[in-house]
Amino acid sequence: MAAELTAHELIARHRPTLDQALEAIRTRAYWSPHPEHPKACGENGSLDLAAGKAAFDALLGTRLDLGQPGTDGWVDGEISPYGIELGVSYPHADLDVLLPAMKAGMRAWRDAGAEVRAVVCLEILKRISNRTHEFAHAVMHTSGQAFMMAFQAGGPHAQDRGLEAVAYAYVEQVRTPDTAEWTKPQGKRDPLALTKQFIPVPRGIGLVIGCNTFPTWNGYPGLFASLATGNAVLVKPHPRAVLPLALTVQVAREVLAEAGFDPNLVALAAERPGEGIAKALATRPEIRIIDYTGSTEFGDWLEANARQAQVYTEKAGVNTVLVESTDNYKGMLSNLAFSLSLYSGQMCTTPQNLLIPREGITTDQGPKSYDEVVADLAKAVDGLLGDDARANALLGAIVNPDVKARLEAAAGLGEVALASREITNPEFPGAVVRTPVIVKLDGSKPDAEAAYLSECFGPVSFAVAVDSAGDALELLRRTIREKGAMTVGAYTTSPEVEDGVREVCLEEAAQLSLNLTGGVYVNQTAAFSDFHGSGGNPAANAALCDGAFVANRFRVVEVRREA
Amino acid sequence: MAAELTAHELIARHRPTLDQALEAIRTRAYWSPHPEHPKACGENGSLDLAAGKAAFDALLGTRLDLGQPGTDGWVDGEISPYGIELGVSYPHADLDVLLPAMKAGMRAWRDAGAEVRAVVCLEILKRISNRTHEFAHAVMHTSGQAFMMAFQAGGPHAQDRGLEAVAYAYVEQVRTPDTAEWTKPQGKRDPLALTKQFIPVPRGIGLVIGCNTFPTWNGYPGLFASLATGNAVLVKPHPRAVLPLALTVQVAREVLAEAGFDPNLVALAAERPGEGIAKALATRPEIRIIDYTGSTEFGDWLEANARQAQVYTEKAGVNTVLVESTDNYKGMLSNLAFSLSLYSGQMCTTPQNLLIPREGITTDQGPKSYDEVVADLAKAVDGLLGDDARANALLGAIVNPDVKARLEAAAGLGEVALASREITNPEFPGAVVRTPVIVKLDGSKPDAEAAYLSECFGPVSFAVAVDSAGDALELLRRTIREKGAMTVGAYTTSPEVEDGVREVCLEEAAQLSLNLTGGVYVNQTAAFSDFHGSGGNPAANAALCDGAFVANRFRVVEVRREA
């Protein structure tokens, strides 16, 4: 078919952005092409706040017909953590029809080459970026994130992670040239001479298994890494967070078709309530790559059972912050208070265990006992969330009843230093909004271990009293090794303790933030610069984003002949 | 300890070679720093032919004491395929002592950084290269390769593959900078500013499980890829091919010690006859990377069971050459005859199935019937091996009784077009030397399928009569998909058939050689230019060498703090 968007046009439009992304992943300096301030949207074809809200409202109660082959029914049922029913219905797929249809366009997609695939991906991201305001509502009403966070993390930051994956995928494919002339001297005889072609070839269909809390941020890296390396991509969203990924699939299909490719290269696999299609899907022979974010249990199952596929998992972990000493006590407390509160701690990167010497810590405001540190942190959280409007804007809503149940149970695990409060959201009375709980635990008591060595996903932190910094390091090491960690934080003014925590993190492969007291938080990572996870401890078998995340999504086939 | 070899000295000595290797893997033009002509050795500290032979002879009957911790006995028992007993004994390791000792030096090795690790690896390779003549005998008398092949494939070509792995490992580690300054504008407020460190960290101990036929060529990529990325490496050689890898370990330990590192970063795990330590070793928690070359059965076992490790396997496959038409009949026959004869077909890359249309092929010498093509190929092999001295120099010796048994059984599978002959090796009367057998099979007969769809490792080829080029392509596709293939060859003057075979190879991820009629053979690949295997079909889950082969042997840990 004649493409509305030619390769030439797409390259002219997006090559400069791709080049900037390639430079950013090399220098790891700050960069983003995606506006992250709500007011920055609304120009050059992008939706402003009102238009985005209107677009989202217009979706409610409608059928999102993606025009996919093998659609054998419609599924719906999303209820926002803010209490409203979305009422959007999505195609349900007959996989025996859909999967073969997805493979049909792969040859042309492969033959298009790495650069064209990259700029098609960038066009998809650009159109998503233009609709960030609409996506923000979709992310907010599926994840329970507050609007500003849904806007930023679900919008530009997710788009950044997608673009980062495209950049890694592109550079990995072009590090081997398309052709080479190989001439080997043979002394007095004629040299041996071969002409060689090197063709990146896809593995098959990539499966993206989305999560409830960050459907786009955690979904885009795998989606774009697989697509940019020539694979087709089937997106199976979390049943409670379909809309953001369904819209993503819709945009991808539109762009692919306009660029002259088969739109079925990207498709959605929504499921009926309780259908549980992930296991069956993940072991289909057509599925050769899987990107998964979710529970350790299912992640481990995928790694063990989806043997026909390359499996990239982000699972659970137990994140630790070591509080040993600081020269900015106030900054430390406010930084930690924000980290514990943001999105009600429902981030895989939120600190859970705060390890504090039971004899107290030294600070710029004099020595502080363990009890004082915990009380001051509780006060800092209280102060941060004292105003209900600000609390709502920071906390968002509890994403599901399991999180609420864990939060309620946590108060029984030890002495409560900060009790969780219920907050009313005047705009969405159905939202379950809770402030974080901080529970004191004695690290030397064996019965406390069961609490602090399990992931307690949600707004729950444990202030764990430890005998010494050395004990804290050993507990940190053990926690990372046995449970995994997406993040580690440490506050210390002691070079020895800093060396110690650094060495533990290097040996156990965990990402470390030191002495954060300002506007950057341990639970946030920036695409193009920070790695999300390390791929080297049990929390995740891959990092976002590095060479290993993309290099095995395609293979290089060589065709050689005599010159 | 004070290093005899400083980092500065090693960088000065080897950085230019590393840079050339980096350029070679980028352009994939011909390059090698390792002399591949026997007469080119003997200068600049390298052993010449006589000195290499003397060094090898001096090893026979001795104890190779590597000075390894945990040595609890000595093992020997290698018998050359040429009939002589090597009588070299090697340390047997108590793994509970050796493995912890290997980890002791990892911190310093990690902290040395990617460049120092690379140049230490290059020093190891340089010293091995200086002893190529000695290694040639060690490879010859363990693999059964003829001397010239043992010299080249076991010497410079193996060293090239090791250096290639070092180059890939180096570039992968330095694509992320050591440090970055990240400054994010905040409108009118002060920018957010972080200082970030990025440190490549190893996974743990890499295990190299060597093979009988190419101990160095197949062993070096994994050994050097793991070592260059900061891991310790334990080498478990095939019980019949210990010496070449034991010498390699000895050199590595010497260089590490001289450079001020712990020699226990590289160690040998030789085993008692029948001890079968590979399974127990491969599932030890200390082992985090495994490189394996050998049977499909054990490779599959490793992939399924060594879940704590990154597993890179090269297993068995069924290699196909499609013979459809040619404009150089004579060149095709002599090229194929050489490929079938080299090292008695005991290469994972040797063609097994020759698919030939039953109605015959077109050639520059007129049409040739299926029978004529097979008879002419048999004649070409006969001619190539007509002289016993030349035959011995090309065939080498049968590596083990299993290969001999398969060769003898093959004659019963169909009509024998070329019978295997026994050849005497006057220098080594104990050598089992056999010429290849070619057996005719009818591709349309279901009972023939069991033969041509199984790997028959050794000097056995099947001339499979197919109904058409289209049928050949379908059989080729099925063979690669079900059995895997390290190589595919094709002879055709038809653009349609060429497109067809190319498409099958791209879709099934197999490396294709087209119309080879000169001095390059389908079973040979050159480091820095050709990929060995694709990692995309059942014959191997990795290619030598690409980004995916190195990128997951280390992880990057980030340490960030406010600027």
Side-chain angles (χ1 to χ4, degrees):
Chain A
M1 86 188 83
E4 299 169 47
L5 281 170
T6 66
H8 184 266
E9 195 177 336
L10 286 168
I11 291 168
R13 197 181 289 181
H14 296 298
R15 181 76 218 197
T17 308
L18 179 61
D19 286 335
Q20 285 178 288
L22 294 171
E23 178 68 3
I25 61 175
R26 199 183 63 73
T27 66
R28 305 198 86 76
Y30 171 76
W31 179 73
S32 171
H34 301 118
E36 72 166 3
H37 197 288
K39 290 186 186 160
C41 298
E43 287 170 16
N44 302 319
S46 73
L47 300 183
D48 65 11
L49 194 144
K53 177 69 164 61
F56 171 73
D57 287 342
L59 286 166
L60 299 178
T62 64
R63 171 176 289 183
L64 204 70
D65 188 347
L66 300 170
Q68 291 184 179
T71 298
D72 61 7
W74 301 90
V75 298
D76 58 12
E78 285 164 294
I79 297 171
S80 165
Y82 289 95
I84 63 173
E85 284 189 33
L86 302 195
V88 186
S89 62
Y90 308 96
H92 183 275
D94 177 344
L95 296 174
D96 292 327
V97 177
L98 179 59
L99 292 177
M102 293 182 71
K103 295 184 84 168
M106 284 182 61
R107 181 174 177 173
W109 187 235
R110 178 197 76 202
D111 289 344
E115 187 180 34
V116 169
R117 285 194 293 271
V119 294
V120 168
C121 288
L122 264 61
E123 177 69 21
I124 296 169
L125 284 164
K126 174 67 182 160
R127 294 204 194 176
I128 291 170
S129 173
N130 283 349
R131 290 166 65 180
T132 287
H133 267 295
E134 181 184 357
F135 274 81
H137 289 282
V139 170
M140 174 181 173
H141 284 291
T142 48
S143 69
Q145 291 174 22
F147 178 78
M148 182 57 93
M149 180 168 176
F151 180 91
Q152 293 187 335
H157 299 172
Q159 295 148 21
D160 284 349
R161 283 287 177 199
L163 175 52
E164 178 188 57
V166 173
Y168 269 97
Y170 172 77
V171 80
E172 194 68 31
Q173 292 172 88
V174 300
R175 67 193 290 183
T176 302
D178 292 340
T179 59
E181 298 298 322
W182 180 89
T183 306
K184 181 175 179 179
Q186 297 291 292
K188 291 172 192 161
R189 286 173 293 151
D190 285 344
L192 299 174
L194 295 177
T195 296
K196 303 176 180 189
Q197 278 189 296
F198 301 97
I199 305 108
V201 301
R203 284 198 171 268
I205 300 178
L207 173 66
V208 174
I209 302 179
C211 68
N212 198 172
T213 47
F214 289 91
T216 56
W217 199 98
N218 276 102
Y220 284 3
L223 193 170
F224 285 100
S226 284
L227 191 60
T229 47
N231 302 280
V233 180
L234 181 62
V235 178
K236 195 217 82 67
H238 191 284
R240 284 193 293 263
V242 183
L243 185 57
L245 288 174
L247 292 175
T248 302
V249 168
Q250 189 179 43
V251 172
R253 293 174 62 86
E254 279 169 13
V255 171
L256 284 163
E258 286 179 35
F261 296 102
D262 189 335
N264 296 324
L265 287 166
V266 178
L268 186 77
E271 57 190 325
R272 299 194 182 90
E275 191 182 357
I277 60 172
K279 279 194 181 185
L281 248 184
T283 50
R284 296 254 332 190
E286 299 95 334
I287 301 297
R288 301 296 306 279
I289 302 168
I290 297 174
D291 288 272
Y292 167 78
T293 311
S295 72
T296 296
E297 189 188 357
F298 192 59
D300 288 346
W301 185 91
L302 286 171
E303 291 173 22
N305 292 280
R307 302 291 314 287
Q308 85 293 353
Q310 306 287 319
V311 179
Y312 304 89
T313 58
E314 184 186 318
K315 300 173 287 190
V318 173
N319 303 318
T320 299
V321 176
L322 172 61
V323 179
E324 191 269 342
S325 53
T326 178
D327 58 9
N328 182 354
Y329 188 56
K330 204 177 150 191
M332 177 185 85
L333 294 172
S334 66
N335 187 283
L336 278 176
F338 187 93
S339 293
L340 301 185
S341 302
L342 184 65
Y343 185 30
S344 311
Q346 297 172 121
M347 300 173 70
C348 57
T349 51
T350 303
Q352 173 177 309
N353 294 342
L354 313 171
L355 310 188
I356 307 167
R358 68 177 78 251
E359 295 189 351
I361 71 172
T362 58
T363 81
D364 56 320
Q365 300 183 18
K368 300 285 178 185
S369 70
Y370 165 81
D371 285 334
E372 283 173 316
V373 173
V374 179
D376 289 342
L377 179 60
K379 251 182 272 175
V381 174
D382 244 356
L384 179 68
L385 304 176
D387 172 69
D388 276 8
R390 188 170 170 189
N392 273 306
L394 202 56
L395 295 168
I398 299 296
V399 65
N400 66 45
D402 290 348
V403 175
K404 183 161 167 274
R406 268 197 299 273
L407 168 63
E408 287 162 358
L413 295 171
E415 182 193 337
V416 174
L418 175 68
S420 176
R421 285 195 301 125
E422 198 172 330
I423 290 186
T424 303
N425 185 318
E427 193 184 354
F428 298 104
V432 177
V433 184
R434 295 288 186 280
T435 66
V437 65
I438 301 177
V439 177
K440 287 178 166 182
L441 294 175
D442 186 335
S444 66
K445 295 269 172 64
D447 60 342
E449 214 180 273
Y452 66 72
L453 275 185
S454 303
E455 193 201 31
C456 191
F457 186 81
V460 178
S461 293
F462 300 118
V464 183
V466 293
D467 288 340
S468 65
D471 283 357
L473 293 181
E474 274 321 295
L475 179 53
L476 171 63
R477 181 189 295 279
R478 196 179 146 211
T479 305
I480 305 170
R481 190 177 290 183
E482 294 178 11
K483 300 297 167 182
M486 294 301 292
T487 59
V488 172
Y491 292 90
T492 181
T493 57
S494 152
E496 293 73 31
V497 174
E498 181 181 317
D499 281 356
V501 69
R502 187 176 184 278
E503 186 59 23
V504 169
C505 287
L506 292 179
E507 291 186 0
E508 305 301 329
Q511 308 298 7
L512 174 61
S513 295
L514 275 171
N515 296 319
L516 297 185
T517 56
V520 175
Y521 305 97
V522 65
N523 39 349
Q524 296 178 322
T525 65
F528 310 110
S529 184
D530 295 319
F531 292 105
H532 175 73
S534 77
N537 71 58
N541 78 357
L544 301 179
C545 188
D546 63 10
F549 188 69
V550 298
N552 231 337
R553 292 176 195 261
F554 69 100
R555 301 284 70 217
V556 175
V557 170
E558 177 181 348
V559 178
R560 60 182 189 172
R561 67 186 86 212
E562 285 154 7
Chain B
M1 86 190 80
E4 298 169 47
L5 280 169
T6 65
H8 182 265
E9 195 177 337
L10 285 168
I11 290 168
R13 196 182 290 181
H14 296 298
R15 180 78 217 195
T17 308
L18 179 60
D19 286 335
Q20 285 178 287
L22 294 172
E23 178 69 2
I25 61 175
R26 199 184 64 72
T27 67
R28 305 199 86 78
Y30 171 76
W31 179 73
S32 170
H34 301 117
E36 73 166 4
H37 198 287
K39 289 185 185 160
C41 298
E43 288 169 15
N44 304 318
S46 73
L47 300 182
D48 66 9
L49 194 143
K53 178 69 165 60
F56 171 74
D57 287 343
L59 287 167
L60 299 178
T62 65
R63 170 176 290 184
L64 204 70
D65 188 347
L66 300 171
Q68 290 183 180
T71 297
D72 61 8
W74 301 89
V75 298
D76 59 13
E78 286 164 294
I79 298 171
S80 164
Y82 289 95
I84 62 174
E85 285 187 33
L86 302 195
V88 186
S89 62
Y90 309 96
H92 183 275
D94 177 345
L95 295 174
D96 292 326
V97 177
L98 180 59
L99 292 177
M102 292 181 71
K103 294 183 84 168
M106 283 182 60
R107 181 174 176 172
W109 187 235
R110 178 197 76 202
D111 289 344
E115 186 180 33
V116 169
R117 285 194 294 272
V119 294
V120 168
C121 288
L122 263 62
E123 177 68 20
I124 297 169
L125 284 164
K126 176 65 182 161
R127 294 202 194 177
I128 291 170
S129 174
N130 283 348
R131 291 165 65 179
T132 288
H133 267 295
E134 182 184 357
F135 274 82
H137 289 281
V139 170
M140 175 181 173
H141 284 291
T142 48
S143 69
Q145 291 174 22
F147 178 77
M148 181 58 91
M149 180 168 176
F151 179 91
Q152 293 187 333
H157 298 173
Q159 296 148 21
D160 284 348
R161 283 287 178 198
L163 176 52
E164 178 188 55
V166 173
Y168 268 97
Y170 172 77
V171 81
E172 194 69 31
Q173 292 171 90
V174 300
R175 68 193 289 182
T176 301
D178 292 341
T179 60
E181 299 299 323
W182 180 89
T183 306
K184 181 176 179 179
Q186 297 291 293
K188 291 171 191 162
R189 288 173 291 150
D190 284 344
L192 299 174
L194 295 177
T195 295
K196 303 178 179 187
Q197 277 189 298
F198 301 97
I199 305 108
V201 301
R203 284 198 170 267
I205 300 177
L207 172 66
V208 175
I209 303 178
C211 69
N212 198 171
T213 47
F214 288 91
T216 55
W217 199 98
N218 277 102
Y220 285 4
L223 193 170
F224 285 100
S226 284
L227 191 61
T229 47
N231 303 281
V233 180
L234 181 61
V235 178
K236 195 218 80 67
H238 191 284
R240 284 194 294 262
V242 183
L243 186 56
L245 288 174
L247 293 174
T248 302
V249 168
Q250 190 179 43
V251 173
R253 293 174 61 87
E254 280 169 13
V255 172
L256 284 163
E258 287 178 36
F261 296 102
D262 189 335
N264 297 323
L265 287 165
V266 177
L268 186 77
E271 58 190 324
R272 300 194 182 90
E275 191 181 0
I277 61 172
K279 279 194 181 185
L281 249 184
T283 50
R284 297 253 333 189
E286 300 94 334
I287 301 297
R288 302 295 306 279
I289 303 167
I290 298 175
D291 288 273
Y292 167 77
T293 312
S295 73
T296 295
E297 189 188 354
F298 192 58
D300 288 346
W301 186 92
L302 286 171
E303 291 173 21
N305 292 281
R307 302 291 313 287
Q308 85 293 352
Q310 306 286 320
V311 179
Y312 304 89
T313 59
E314 184 185 319
K315 300 173 288 190
V318 174
N319 303 317
T320 299
V321 175
L322 172 61
V323 180
E324 191 269 342
S325 53
T326 179
D327 58 9
N328 183 354
Y329 189 56
K330 205 177 150 190
M332 176 184 87
L333 294 172
S334 67
N335 187 283
L336 278 175
F338 187 93
S339 292
L340 301 185
S341 303
L342 183 65
Y343 186 29
S344 311
Q346 297 172 120
M347 300 173 71
C348 58
T349 50
T350 303
Q352 173 177 309
N353 295 341
L354 313 170
L355 310 189
I356 307 167
R358 68 177 79 250
E359 293 189 353
I361 70 173
T362 58
T363 81
D364 56 320
Q365 299 183 20
K368 300 285 178 185
S369 71
Y370 165 81
D371 285 335
E372 284 173 316
V373 173
V374 179
D376 288 343
L377 178 60
K379 250 182 273 175
V381 174
D382 243 356
L384 180 68
L385 304 175
D387 172 69
D388 275 8
R390 189 171 169 188
N392 273 306
L394 202 55
L395 294 168
I398 298 297
V399 66
N400 66 45
D402 290 348
V403 175
K404 183 162 167 275
R406 268 197 299 274
L407 168 63
E408 286 162 358
L413 295 171
E415 182 192 337
V416 173
L418 174 68
S420 177
R421 284 194 303 124
E422 197 172 333
I423 290 185
T424 303
N425 185 317
E427 194 184 354
F428 298 104
V432 177
V433 185
R434 295 288 186 279
T435 66
V437 65
I438 301 177
V439 177
K440 287 179 166 180
L441 293 174
D442 186 336
S444 65
K445 295 271 173 62
D447 61 340
E449 213 180 273
Y452 65 73
L453 276 186
S454 303
E455 192 200 31
C456 191
F457 186 80
V460 178
S461 293
F462 300 118
V464 182
V466 293
D467 288 340
S468 65
D471 283 357
L473 293 181
E474 274 321 294
L475 179 53
L476 172 63
R477 181 189 297 276
R478 194 179 147 210
T479 305
I480 304 170
R481 189 176 291 181
E482 294 179 11
K483 300 297 167 181
M486 294 300 292
T487 59
V488 173
Y491 291 90
T492 181
T493 57
S494 152
E496 293 73 32
V497 173
E498 182 181 317
D499 282 355
V501 69
R502 186 176 184 278
E503 185 60 23
V504 168
C505 288
L506 292 180
E507 292 185 359
E508 305 302 329
Q511 308 298 7
L512 173 62
S513 295
L514 276 171
N515 296 318
L516 297 184
T517 57
V520 175
Y521 305 96
V522 66
N523 40 348
Q524 296 179 323
T525 64
F528 311 110
S529 184
D530 295 318
F531 292 105
H532 175 73
S534 77
N537 71 58
N541 78 357
L544 302 178
C545 190
D546 63 11
F549 188 69
V550 297
N552 231 338
R553 292 176 193 261
F554 68 100
R555 302 283 70 216
V556 175
V557 170
E558 177 181 347
V559 178
R560 61 181 189 171
R561 67 185 85 212
E562 285 155 7

